[in-house]
mmCIF file of all heavy atoms in Angstrom:
data_model
loop_
_atom_site.group_PDB
_atom_site.id
_atom_site.type_symbol
_atom_site.label_atom_id
_atom_site.label_comp_id
_atom_site.label_asym_id
_atom_site.label_seq_id
_atom_site.Cartn_x
_atom_site.Cartn_y
_atom_site.Cartn_z
ATOM 1 N N ARG A 26 -32.397 -26.447 92.725
ATOM 2 C CA ARG A 26 -30.981 -26.743 92.902
ATOM 3 C C ARG A 26 -30.442 -27.346 91.607
ATOM 4 O O ARG A 26 -31.065 -28.220 91.028
ATOM 5 C CB ARG A 26 -30.852 -27.735 94.051
ATOM 6 C CG ARG A 26 -29.476 -27.986 94.513
ATOM 7 C CD ARG A 26 -29.503 -28.766 95.842
ATOM 8 N NE ARG A 26 -28.187 -29.313 96.036
ATOM 9 C CZ ARG A 26 -27.893 -30.604 96.040
ATOM 10 N NH1 ARG A 26 -28.833 -31.500 95.905
ATOM 11 N NH2 ARG A 26 -26.653 -31.004 96.197
ATOM 12 N N LEU A 27 -29.285 -26.857 91.127
ATOM 13 C CA LEU A 27 -28.678 -27.399 89.915
ATOM 14 C C LEU A 27 -27.724 -28.528 90.305
ATOM 15 O O LEU A 27 -26.759 -28.310 91.047
ATOM 16 C CB LEU A 27 -27.942 -26.315 89.133
ATOM 17 C CG LEU A 27 -28.810 -25.138 88.663
ATOM 18 C CD1 LEU A 27 -27.985 -24.150 87.843
ATOM 19 C CD2 LEU A 27 -30.021 -25.625 87.873
ATOM 20 N N VAL A 28 -28.035 -29.734 89.823
ATOM 21 C CA VAL A 28 -27.302 -30.946 90.177
ATOM 22 C C VAL A 28 -26.650 -31.516 88.919
ATOM 23 O O VAL A 28 -27.263 -31.539 87.854
ATOM 24 C CB VAL A 28 -28.269 -31.982 90.806
ATOM 25 C CG1 VAL A 28 -27.588 -33.312 91.037
ATOM 26 C CG2 VAL A 28 -28.850 -31.435 92.112
ATOM 27 N N ALA A 29 -25.416 -31.965 89.064
ATOM 28 C CA ALA A 29 -24.690 -32.589 87.958
ATOM 29 C C ALA A 29 -24.287 -33.998 88.356
ATOM 30 O O ALA A 29 -23.955 -34.253 89.517
ATOM 31 C CB ALA A 29 -23.446 -31.772 87.614
ATOM 32 N N GLY A 30 -24.340 -34.917 87.387
ATOM 33 C CA GLY A 30 -23.972 -36.293 87.696
ATOM 34 C C GLY A 30 -23.504 -37.055 86.484
ATOM 35 O O GLY A 30 -23.581 -36.566 85.353
ATOM 36 N N VAL A 31 -23.010 -38.262 86.734
ATOM 37 C CA VAL A 31 -22.534 -39.118 85.663
ATOM 38 C C VAL A 31 -23.248 -40.461 85.683
ATOM 39 O O VAL A 31 -23.686 -40.933 86.731
ATOM 40 C CB VAL A 31 -21.001 -39.372 85.719
ATOM 41 C CG1 VAL A 31 -20.228 -38.094 85.494
ATOM 42 C CG2 VAL A 31 -20.584 -40.039 87.003
ATOM 43 N N VAL A 32 -23.348 -41.046 84.488
ATOM 44 C CA VAL A 32 -23.719 -42.439 84.322
ATOM 45 C C VAL A 32 -22.391 -43.114 83.969
ATOM 46 O O VAL A 32 -21.962 -43.065 82.815
ATOM 47 C CB VAL A 32 -24.774 -42.637 83.212
ATOM 48 C CG1 VAL A 32 -25.118 -44.106 83.047
ATOM 49 C CG2 VAL A 32 -26.029 -41.813 83.513
ATOM 50 N N PRO A 33 -21.692 -43.676 84.983
ATOM 51 C CA PRO A 33 -20.343 -44.199 84.763
ATOM 52 C C PRO A 33 -20.359 -45.617 84.190
ATOM 53 O O PRO A 33 -20.813 -46.553 84.838
ATOM 54 C CB PRO A 33 -19.723 -44.179 86.162
ATOM 55 C CG PRO A 33 -20.876 -44.231 87.106
ATOM 56 C CD PRO A 33 -22.079 -43.703 86.380
ATOM 57 N N ILE A 44 -23.537 -46.455 93.218
ATOM 58 C CA ILE A 44 -23.032 -46.282 94.583
ATOM 59 C C ILE A 44 -24.188 -46.349 95.558
ATOM 60 O O ILE A 44 -25.330 -46.052 95.205
ATOM 61 C CB ILE A 44 -22.279 -44.941 94.728
ATOM 62 C CG1 ILE A 44 -23.187 -43.767 94.327
ATOM 63 C CG2 ILE A 44 -20.996 -44.953 93.912
ATOM 64 C CD1 ILE A 44 -22.608 -42.395 94.580
ATOM 65 N N SER A 46 -26.635 -45.189 98.379
ATOM 66 C CA SER A 46 -27.167 -43.922 98.867
ATOM 67 C C SER A 46 -26.813 -43.785 100.344
ATOM 68 O O SER A 46 -26.853 -44.763 101.079
ATOM 69 C CB SER A 46 -28.686 -43.907 98.689
ATOM 70 O OG SER A 46 -29.244 -42.803 99.343
ATOM 71 N N THR A 47 -26.478 -42.580 100.773
ATOM 72 C CA THR A 47 -26.209 -42.373 102.203
ATOM 73 C C THR A 47 -27.491 -42.049 102.961
ATOM 74 O O THR A 47 -27.535 -42.184 104.166
ATOM 75 C CB THR A 47 -25.198 -41.219 102.427
ATOM 76 O OG1 THR A 47 -25.747 -40.025 101.866
ATOM 77 C CG2 THR A 47 -23.855 -41.531 101.803
ATOM 78 N N LYS A 48 -28.525 -41.608 102.261
ATOM 79 C CA LYS A 48 -29.768 -41.182 102.914
ATOM 80 C C LYS A 48 -30.726 -42.338 103.197
ATOM 81 O O LYS A 48 -31.470 -42.331 104.137
ATOM 82 C CB LYS A 48 -30.494 -40.141 102.047
ATOM 83 C CG LYS A 48 -29.655 -38.933 101.719
ATOM 84 C CD LYS A 48 -29.586 -37.971 102.876
ATOM 85 C CE LYS A 48 -28.962 -36.663 102.496
ATOM 86 N NZ LYS A 48 -27.525 -36.586 102.651
ATOM 87 N N ARG A 49 -30.712 -43.336 102.310
ATOM 88 C CA ARG A 49 -31.614 -44.468 102.489
ATOM 89 C C ARG A 49 -30.975 -45.691 101.851
ATOM 90 O O ARG A 49 -29.986 -45.585 101.150
ATOM 91 C CB ARG A 49 -32.973 -44.171 101.862
ATOM 92 C CG ARG A 49 -32.877 -43.673 100.434
ATOM 93 C CD ARG A 49 -34.227 -43.269 99.933
ATOM 94 N NE ARG A 49 -34.065 -42.149 99.007
ATOM 95 C CZ ARG A 49 -34.995 -41.749 98.189
ATOM 96 N NH1 ARG A 49 -36.144 -42.336 98.155
ATOM 97 N NH2 ARG A 49 -34.799 -40.728 97.404
ATOM 98 N N TRP A 52 -29.397 -47.908 95.767
ATOM 99 C CA TRP A 52 -28.299 -47.515 94.892
ATOM 100 C C TRP A 52 -28.660 -46.264 94.108
ATOM 101 O O TRP A 52 -29.821 -46.050 93.789
ATOM 102 C CB TRP A 52 -27.984 -48.673 93.935
ATOM 103 C CG TRP A 52 -27.526 -49.891 94.654
ATOM 104 C CD1 TRP A 52 -28.303 -50.933 95.083
ATOM 105 C CD2 TRP A 52 -26.200 -50.199 95.062
ATOM 106 N NE1 TRP A 52 -27.526 -51.860 95.720
ATOM 107 C CE2 TRP A 52 -26.229 -51.429 95.729
ATOM 108 C CE3 TRP A 52 -24.970 -49.537 94.929
ATOM 109 C CZ2 TRP A 52 -25.091 -52.026 96.255
ATOM 110 C CZ3 TRP A 52 -23.833 -50.128 95.458
ATOM 111 C CH2 TRP A 52 -23.902 -51.366 96.111
ATOM 112 N N VAL A 53 -27.644 -45.458 93.812
ATOM 113 C CA VAL A 53 -27.828 -44.217 93.065
ATOM 114 C C VAL A 53 -26.658 -44.027 92.101
ATOM 115 O O VAL A 53 -25.652 -44.727 92.178
ATOM 116 C CB VAL A 53 -27.938 -42.986 94.001
ATOM 117 C CG1 VAL A 53 -29.184 -43.052 94.863
ATOM 118 C CG2 VAL A 53 -26.690 -42.829 94.867
ATOM 119 N N LEU A 54 -26.805 -43.053 91.212
ATOM 120 C CA LEU A 54 -25.712 -42.617 90.353
ATOM 121 C C LEU A 54 -24.940 -41.519 91.081
ATOM 122 O O LEU A 54 -25.540 -40.756 91.854
ATOM 123 C CB LEU A 54 -26.275 -42.060 89.038
ATOM 124 C CG LEU A 54 -26.959 -43.058 88.117
ATOM 125 C CD1 LEU A 54 -27.770 -42.334 87.050
ATOM 126 C CD2 LEU A 54 -25.925 -43.975 87.467
ATOM 127 N N PRO A 55 -23.643 -41.383 90.838
ATOM 128 C CA PRO A 55 -22.898 -40.274 91.441
ATOM 129 C C PRO A 55 -23.426 -38.937 90.919
ATOM 130 O O PRO A 55 -23.517 -38.731 89.715
ATOM 131 C CB PRO A 55 -21.458 -40.509 90.971
ATOM 132 C CG PRO A 55 -21.402 -41.943 90.539
ATOM 133 C CD PRO A 55 -22.782 -42.268 90.054
ATOM 134 N N LYS A 56 -23.776 -38.055 91.845
ATOM 135 C CA LYS A 56 -24.327 -36.755 91.469
ATOM 136 C C LYS A 56 -24.282 -35.834 92.674
ATOM 137 O O LYS A 56 -24.191 -36.278 93.810
ATOM 138 C CB LYS A 56 -25.762 -36.897 90.990
ATOM 139 C CG LYS A 56 -26.594 -37.511 92.083
ATOM 140 C CD LYS A 56 -28.047 -37.354 91.917
ATOM 141 C CE LYS A 56 -28.782 -38.036 93.041
ATOM 142 N NZ LYS A 56 -28.146 -37.967 94.354
ATOM 143 N N GLY A 57 -24.364 -34.545 92.399
ATOM 144 C CA GLY A 57 -24.389 -33.575 93.486
ATOM 145 C C GLY A 57 -24.455 -32.167 92.940
ATOM 146 O O GLY A 57 -24.492 -31.954 91.731
ATOM 147 N N GLY A 58 -24.454 -31.225 93.846
ATOM 148 C CA GLY A 58 -24.621 -29.836 93.470
ATOM 149 C C GLY A 58 -23.499 -29.282 92.608
ATOM 150 O O GLY A 58 -22.332 -29.558 92.841
ATOM 151 N N TRP A 59 -23.912 -28.503 91.591
ATOM 152 C CA TRP A 59 -22.969 -27.767 90.749
ATOM 153 C C TRP A 59 -22.665 -26.487 91.511
ATOM 154 O O TRP A 59 -23.566 -25.696 91.809
ATOM 155 C CB TRP A 59 -23.602 -27.499 89.390
ATOM 156 C CG TRP A 59 -22.792 -26.659 88.451
ATOM 157 C CD1 TRP A 59 -21.472 -26.308 88.570
ATOM 158 C CD2 TRP A 59 -23.242 -26.059 87.236
ATOM 159 N NE1 TRP A 59 -21.078 -25.535 87.501
ATOM 160 C CE2 TRP A 59 -22.143 -25.358 86.670
ATOM 161 C CE3 TRP A 59 -24.451 -26.030 86.578
ATOM 162 C CZ2 TRP A 59 -22.245 -24.657 85.483
ATOM 163 C CZ3 TRP A 59 -24.543 -25.326 85.390
ATOM 164 C CH2 TRP A 59 -23.450 -24.654 84.845
ATOM 165 N N ALA A 69 -18.407 -30.295 87.695
ATOM 166 C CA ALA A 69 -19.096 -30.723 88.914
ATOM 167 C C ALA A 69 -19.371 -32.226 88.883
ATOM 168 O O ALA A 69 -19.175 -32.923 89.883
ATOM 169 C CB ALA A 69 -20.401 -29.945 89.074
ATOM 170 N N ALA A 70 -19.801 -32.731 87.734
ATOM 171 C CA ALA A 70 -20.116 -34.162 87.604
ATOM 172 C C ALA A 70 -18.870 -35.015 87.840
ATOM 173 O O ALA A 70 -18.934 -36.039 88.539
ATOM 174 C CB ALA A 70 -20.714 -34.436 86.225
ATOM 175 N N LYS A 71 -17.737 -34.598 87.282
ATOM 176 C CA LYS A 71 -16.497 -35.362 87.473
ATOM 177 C C LYS A 71 -16.019 -35.291 88.921
ATOM 178 O O LYS A 71 -15.532 -36.283 89.460
ATOM 179 C CB LYS A 71 -15.418 -34.882 86.503
ATOM 180 C CG LYS A 71 -15.779 -35.302 85.085
ATOM 181 C CD LYS A 71 -14.829 -35.025 83.957
ATOM 182 C CE LYS A 71 -13.606 -34.260 84.111
ATOM 183 N NZ LYS A 71 -12.893 -34.047 82.838
ATOM 184 N N ARG A 72 -16.200 -34.136 89.570
ATOM 185 C CA ARG A 72 -15.838 -34.030 90.996
ATOM 186 C C ARG A 72 -16.705 -34.961 91.828
ATOM 187 O O ARG A 72 -16.218 -35.682 92.704
ATOM 188 C CB ARG A 72 -15.990 -32.586 91.493
ATOM 189 C CG ARG A 72 -15.727 -32.466 93.001
ATOM 190 C CD ARG A 72 -15.965 -31.061 93.536
ATOM 191 N NE ARG A 72 -17.230 -30.479 93.145
ATOM 192 C CZ ARG A 72 -18.411 -30.768 93.737
ATOM 193 N NH1 ARG A 72 -18.491 -31.641 94.728
ATOM 194 N NH2 ARG A 72 -19.512 -30.166 93.327
ATOM 195 N N GLU A 73 -18.015 -34.969 91.565
ATOM 196 C CA GLU A 73 -18.918 -35.842 92.311
ATOM 197 C C GLU A 73 -18.570 -37.319 92.104
ATOM 198 O O GLU A 73 -18.628 -38.111 93.039
ATOM 199 C CB GLU A 73 -20.368 -35.576 91.921
ATOM 200 C CG GLU A 73 -20.910 -34.244 92.408
ATOM 201 C CD GLU A 73 -21.052 -34.138 93.925
ATOM 202 O OE1 GLU A 73 -21.081 -35.176 94.626
ATOM 203 O OE2 GLU A 73 -21.153 -33.001 94.422
ATOM 204 N N ALA A 74 -18.203 -37.685 90.869
ATOM 205 C CA ALA A 74 -17.810 -39.071 90.584
ATOM 206 C C ALA A 74 -16.603 -39.465 91.436
ATOM 207 O O ALA A 74 -16.537 -40.573 91.957
ATOM 208 C CB ALA A 74 -17.508 -39.241 89.101
ATOM 209 N N TRP A 75 -15.661 -38.527 91.582
ATOM 210 C CA TRP A 75 -14.483 -38.794 92.418
ATOM 211 C C TRP A 75 -14.870 -38.896 93.889
ATOM 212 O O TRP A 75 -14.526 -39.860 94.569
ATOM 213 C CB TRP A 75 -13.408 -37.719 92.215
ATOM 214 C CG TRP A 75 -12.402 -37.736 93.329
ATOM 215 C CD1 TRP A 75 -12.186 -36.770 94.263
ATOM 216 C CD2 TRP A 75 -11.520 -38.812 93.652
ATOM 217 N NE1 TRP A 75 -11.225 -37.184 95.153
ATOM 218 C CE2 TRP A 75 -10.798 -38.437 94.796
ATOM 219 C CE3 TRP A 75 -11.276 -40.067 93.093
ATOM 220 C CZ2 TRP A 75 -9.841 -39.268 95.397
ATOM 221 C CZ3 TRP A 75 -10.321 -40.899 93.684
ATOM 222 C CH2 TRP A 75 -9.621 -40.488 94.820
ATOM 223 N N GLU A 76 -15.587 -37.884 94.402
ATOM 224 C CA GLU A 76 -15.907 -37.856 95.827
ATOM 225 C C GLU A 76 -16.764 -39.046 96.258
ATOM 226 O O GLU A 76 -16.492 -39.674 97.281
ATOM 227 C CB GLU A 76 -16.652 -36.561 96.180
ATOM 228 C CG GLU A 76 -15.787 -35.327 96.127
ATOM 229 C CD GLU A 76 -16.550 -34.043 96.425
ATOM 230 O OE1 GLU A 76 -17.779 -34.081 96.663
ATOM 231 O OE2 GLU A 76 -15.902 -32.985 96.416
ATOM 232 N N GLU A 77 -17.797 -39.352 95.480
ATOM 233 C CA GLU A 77 -18.765 -40.368 95.892
ATOM 234 C C GLU A 77 -18.396 -41.788 95.478
ATOM 235 O O GLU A 77 -18.716 -42.734 96.189
ATOM 236 C CB GLU A 77 -20.150 -40.022 95.340
ATOM 237 C CG GLU A 77 -20.697 -38.729 95.922
ATOM 238 C CD GLU A 77 -22.114 -38.410 95.484
ATOM 239 O OE1 GLU A 77 -22.639 -39.058 94.553
ATOM 240 O OE2 GLU A 77 -22.697 -37.490 96.069
ATOM 241 N N ALA A 78 -17.754 -41.951 94.312
ATOM 242 C CA ALA A 78 -17.483 -43.294 93.798
ATOM 243 C C ALA A 78 -15.997 -43.633 93.704
ATOM 244 O O ALA A 78 -15.652 -44.786 93.443
ATOM 245 C CB ALA A 78 -18.127 -43.459 92.417
ATOM 246 N N ARG A 95 -39.293 -36.505 91.178
ATOM 247 C CA ARG A 95 -39.721 -37.069 92.463
ATOM 248 C C ARG A 95 -41.090 -36.515 92.840
ATOM 249 O O ARG A 95 -41.441 -35.402 92.470
ATOM 250 C CB ARG A 95 -38.706 -36.741 93.561
ATOM 251 C CG ARG A 95 -37.381 -37.452 93.368
ATOM 252 C CD ARG A 95 -36.347 -36.987 94.369
ATOM 253 N NE ARG A 95 -35.991 -35.596 94.090
ATOM 254 C CZ ARG A 95 -35.334 -34.796 94.917
ATOM 255 N NH1 ARG A 95 -34.954 -35.236 96.096
ATOM 256 N NH2 ARG A 95 -35.049 -33.554 94.579
ATOM 257 N N ALA A 104 -33.320 -32.531 100.523
ATOM 258 C CA ALA A 104 -33.412 -32.940 99.119
ATOM 259 C C ALA A 104 -34.487 -32.102 98.427
ATOM 260 O O ALA A 104 -35.576 -32.572 98.134
ATOM 261 C CB ALA A 104 -33.745 -34.428 99.026
ATOM 262 N N ALA A 107 -34.957 -30.113 92.274
ATOM 263 C CA ALA A 107 -33.679 -29.991 91.572
ATOM 264 C C ALA A 107 -33.868 -30.154 90.071
ATOM 265 O O ALA A 107 -34.865 -30.689 89.604
ATOM 266 C CB ALA A 107 -32.699 -31.046 92.084
ATOM 267 N N SER A 108 -32.869 -29.677 89.330
ATOM 268 C CA SER A 108 -32.752 -29.914 87.895
ATOM 269 C C SER A 108 -31.434 -30.662 87.723
ATOM 270 O O SER A 108 -30.397 -30.230 88.222
ATOM 271 C CB SER A 108 -32.713 -28.590 87.145
ATOM 272 O OG SER A 108 -32.455 -28.828 85.772
ATOM 273 N N TYR A 109 -31.492 -31.799 87.045
ATOM 274 C CA TYR A 109 -30.335 -32.682 86.929
ATOM 275 C C TYR A 109 -29.715 -32.589 85.536
ATOM 276 O O TYR A 109 -30.428 -32.659 84.539
ATOM 277 C CB TYR A 109 -30.764 -34.138 87.176
ATOM 278 C CG TYR A 109 -31.390 -34.345 88.530
ATOM 279 C CD1 TYR A 109 -32.756 -34.151 88.721
ATOM 280 C CD2 TYR A 109 -30.620 -34.715 89.623
ATOM 281 C CE1 TYR A 109 -33.332 -34.326 89.971
ATOM 282 C CE2 TYR A 109 -31.192 -34.890 90.877
ATOM 283 C CZ TYR A 109 -32.546 -34.695 91.044
ATOM 284 O OH TYR A 109 -33.117 -34.865 92.277
ATOM 285 N N HIS A 110 -28.396 -32.466 85.484
ATOM 286 C CA HIS A 110 -27.670 -32.490 84.218
ATOM 287 C C HIS A 110 -26.729 -33.688 84.281
ATOM 288 O O HIS A 110 -25.769 -33.689 85.051
ATOM 289 C CB HIS A 110 -26.885 -31.196 84.016
ATOM 290 C CG HIS A 110 -26.411 -31.016 82.612
ATOM 291 N ND1 HIS A 110 -26.069 -29.804 82.101
ATOM 292 C CD2 HIS A 110 -26.225 -31.895 81.602
ATOM 293 C CE1 HIS A 110 -25.698 -29.940 80.830
ATOM 294 N NE2 HIS A 110 -25.778 -31.214 80.516
ATOM 295 N N PHE A 111 -27.057 -34.707 83.490
ATOM 296 C CA PHE A 111 -26.263 -35.939 83.514
ATOM 297 C C PHE A 111 -25.385 -36.073 82.276
ATOM 298 O O PHE A 111 -25.726 -35.603 81.194
ATOM 299 C CB PHE A 111 -27.170 -37.170 83.626
ATOM 300 C CG PHE A 111 -27.503 -37.510 85.047
ATOM 301 C CD1 PHE A 111 -28.687 -37.086 85.613
ATOM 302 C CD2 PHE A 111 -26.612 -38.246 85.832
ATOM 303 C CE1 PHE A 111 -28.988 -37.388 86.932
ATOM 304 C CE2 PHE A 111 -26.903 -38.540 87.142
ATOM 305 C CZ PHE A 111 -28.093 -38.127 87.705
ATOM 306 N N GLU A 125 -15.501 -40.530 100.072
ATOM 307 C CA GLU A 125 -16.682 -41.069 100.742
ATOM 308 C C GLU A 125 -16.668 -42.593 100.880
ATOM 309 O O GLU A 125 -17.709 -43.221 101.060
ATOM 310 C CB GLU A 125 -17.951 -40.580 100.024
ATOM 311 C CG GLU A 125 -18.092 -39.071 100.111
ATOM 312 C CD GLU A 125 -19.411 -38.530 99.594
ATOM 313 O OE1 GLU A 125 -20.370 -39.301 99.404
ATOM 314 O OE2 GLU A 125 -19.480 -37.301 99.380
ATOM 315 N N ARG A 129 -19.994 -45.089 101.599
ATOM 316 C CA ARG A 129 -20.605 -45.616 100.370
ATOM 317 C C ARG A 129 -19.803 -46.806 99.864
ATOM 318 O O ARG A 129 -18.581 -46.783 99.871
ATOM 319 C CB ARG A 129 -20.590 -44.576 99.245
ATOM 320 C CG ARG A 129 -21.419 -43.352 99.487
ATOM 321 C CD ARG A 129 -21.367 -42.474 98.245
ATOM 322 N NE ARG A 129 -21.919 -41.155 98.451
ATOM 323 C CZ ARG A 129 -23.198 -40.851 98.333
ATOM 324 N NH1 ARG A 129 -24.074 -41.774 98.032
ATOM 325 N NH2 ARG A 129 -23.607 -39.612 98.515
ATOM 326 N N LEU A 143 -32.536 -48.703 90.419
ATOM 327 C CA LEU A 143 -32.891 -47.283 90.367
ATOM 328 C C LEU A 143 -34.395 -47.049 90.239
ATOM 329 O O LEU A 143 -34.825 -45.909 90.061
ATOM 330 C CB LEU A 143 -32.166 -46.605 89.189
ATOM 331 C CG LEU A 143 -30.636 -46.636 89.240
ATOM 332 C CD1 LEU A 143 -30.055 -46.045 87.963
ATOM 333 C CD2 LEU A 143 -30.106 -45.914 90.467
ATOM 334 N N ARG A 146 -36.102 -44.122 91.904
ATOM 335 C CA ARG A 146 -35.541 -42.803 91.612
ATOM 336 C C ARG A 146 -35.744 -42.471 90.142
ATOM 337 O O ARG A 146 -34.849 -42.684 89.319
ATOM 338 C CB ARG A 146 -34.048 -42.767 91.992
ATOM 339 C CG ARG A 146 -33.747 -43.010 93.464
ATOM 340 C CD ARG A 146 -34.270 -41.894 94.354
ATOM 341 N NE ARG A 146 -33.691 -40.603 94.044
ATOM 342 C CZ ARG A 146 -32.577 -40.131 94.576
ATOM 343 N NH1 ARG A 146 -31.894 -40.839 95.443
ATOM 344 N NH2 ARG A 146 -32.134 -38.948 94.229
ATOM 345 N N GLU A 148 -35.661 -39.832 88.296
ATOM 346 C CA GLU A 148 -34.711 -38.934 87.629
ATOM 347 C C GLU A 148 -33.421 -39.684 87.272
ATOM 348 O O GLU A 148 -32.810 -39.430 86.236
ATOM 349 C CB GLU A 148 -34.434 -37.680 88.472
ATOM 350 C CG GLU A 148 -33.595 -37.883 89.713
ATOM 351 C CD GLU A 148 -34.274 -38.553 90.906
ATOM 352 O OE1 GLU A 148 -35.443 -38.968 90.809
ATOM 353 O OE2 GLU A 148 -33.616 -38.661 91.963
ATOM 354 N N LEU A 149 -33.012 -40.624 88.119
ATOM 355 C CA LEU A 149 -31.811 -41.411 87.854
ATOM 356 C C LEU A 149 -32.082 -42.468 86.784
ATOM 357 O O LEU A 149 -31.240 -42.727 85.922
ATOM 358 C CB LEU A 149 -31.305 -42.072 89.140
ATOM 359 C CG LEU A 149 -31.025 -41.117 90.310
ATOM 360 C CD1 LEU A 149 -30.475 -41.883 91.495
ATOM 361 C CD2 LEU A 149 -30.102 -39.992 89.899
#
Side-chain angles (χ1 to χ4, degrees):
R26 189 168 164 246
L27 300 182
V28 173
V31 295
V32 179
I44 57 173
S46 170
T47 59
K48 304 282 190 270
R49 50 186 147 165
W52 297 93
V53 295
L54 293 165
K56 59 163 178 36
W59 175 13
K71 290 184 354 184
R72 176 184 49 79
E73 289 293 341
W75 163 246
E76 289 178 359
E77 295 185 348
R95 292 173 292 165
S108 174
Y109 301 87
H110 195 159
F111 273 97
E125 296 188 15
R129 295 184 191 274
L143 299 175
R146 299 294 300 271
E148 72 285 4
L149 304 183

